[in-house]
Amino acid sequence: AQSVTQPDIHITVSEGASLELRCNYSYGATPYLFWYVQSPGQGLQLLLKYFSGDTLVQGIKGFEAEFKRSQSSFNLRKPSVHWSDAAEYFCAVGNRDSSYKLIFGSGTRLLVRP
Amino acid sequence: SQTIHQWPATLVQPVGSPLSLECTVEGTSNPNLYWYRQAAGRGLQLLFYSVGIGQISSEVPQNLSASRPQDRQFILSSKKLLLSDSGFYLCAWRTGAYNEQFFGPGTRLTVL
């Protein structure tokens, strides 16, 4: 069965420090992979996506993620965190059938210290 | 450009009362539509999805139902709400041009 694991429930970083959020997935084939961000009380905004090709993908707000097939991982990174990055981050794997369903991880809440 | 609307934004309902949440998409046609629920401090759980008018797939057995009376309208309903139905309900869409889903602003439902 498909699944997504985000092992870190909370992460706290200082403003200006680098960030890495972990995501591991279980999927029978090459998946579609996504990172979404959610501010409190809001919907989800797509940060970046991977479908095929270059395994390092760039997204909005200075985020990037790297697909590593051998590790079944799709970790999200940012070289320098801003206070406005404080939010909840969700990794998701997408079906490659007609449903295009997404399976989400449980999320990682990012706190930014001034 | 495409936009997605959900209403109401917030709702407080007593246990046993009915529910109707509405989602509409503008600027696209024949989208896939999705309903998710997010319980407090939890991830997103897919409840229903639809690939066309009148076509509903249920992911989780429960006292909720969904309908798609028009191409760009998706409705989540219940005849009798339970306390456990409280949560943040999100609607999303995608079309053939994209593989990602785009989310609406959500409805906060509190069942008392």
Side-chain angles (χ1 to χ4, degrees):
Chain A
Q2 301 146 21
S3 65
V4 178
T5 301
Q6 294 180 247
D8 303 305
I9 297 174
H10 297 100
I11 282 187
T12 301
V13 299
S14 297
E15 191 169 15
S18 63
L19 171 70
E20 182 169 30
L21 302 183
R22 295 184 290 165
C23 172
N24 292 95
Y25 68 89
S26 173
Y27 191 78
T30 301
Y32 294 141
L33 292 163
F34 307 88
W35 276 99
Y36 286 86
V37 61
Q38 184 182 34
S39 297
Q42 305 295 314
L44 275 70
Q45 181 183 23
L46 180 70
L47 283 176
L48 47 77
K49 59 192 177 186
Y50 171 80
F51 297 148
S52 64
D54 193 346
T55 57
L56 184 63
V57 294
Q58 302 297 321
I60 62 171
K61 305 184 179 185
F63 285 93
E64 66 178 27
E66 186 171 12
F67 170 56
K68 293 186 177 180
R69 185 189 304 276
S70 61
Q71 298 177 21
S72 297
S73 69
F74 189 56
N75 294 349
L76 181 71
R77 300 193 295 249
K78 186 170 185 178
S80 178
V81 169
H82 188 264
W83 64 266
S84 60
D85 293 324
E88 186 137 27
Y89 292 80
F90 292 95
C91 181
V93 61
N95 273 14
R96 286 180 179 257
D97 61 21
S98 61
S99 73
Y100 290 95
K101 293 187 292 185
L102 295 180
I103 305 298
F104 283 86
S106 54
T108 297
R109 181 163 297 279
L110 174 65
L111 304 174
V112 181
R113 280 193 297 257
Chain B
S1 65
Q2 303 92 348
T3 56
I4 178 168
H5 304 280
Q6 288 187 244
W7 63 86
T10 61
L11 191 60
V12 180
Q13 292 285 95
V15 169
S17 63
L19 173 73
S20 181
L21 303 182
E22 190 164 343
C23 170
T24 59
V25 182
E26 297 177 355
T28 187
S29 60
N30 196 31
N32 283 16
L33 295 171
Y34 307 84
W35 276 113
Y36 293 86
R37 177 169 60 203
Q38 186 177 26
R42 306 284 294 278
L44 280 78
Q45 180 186 38
L46 179 63
L47 302 175
F48 301 94
Y49 71 93
S50 171
V51 300
I53 296 174
Q55 300 179 63
I56 308 294
S57 296
S58 174
E59 292 292 298
V60 182
Q62 58 209 312
N63 70 320
L64 298 172
S65 62
S67 62
R68 185 170 177 175
Q70 300 178 46
D71 181 44
R72 290 170 289 176
Q73 184 183 33
F74 204 24
I75 296 173
L76 183 70
S77 303
S78 174
K79 292 181 180 177
K80 282 188 173 183
L81 283 168
L82 307 173
L83 286 174
S84 57
D85 291 323
S86 292
F88 193 50
Y89 288 82
L90 289 157
C91 181
W93 69 272
R94 71 157 291 280
T95 65
Y98 308 100
N99 291 308
E100 61 268 40
Q101 292 179 19
F102 299 94
F103 284 80
T107 294
R108 171 76 58 195
L109 172 66
T110 303
V111 182
L112 301 175

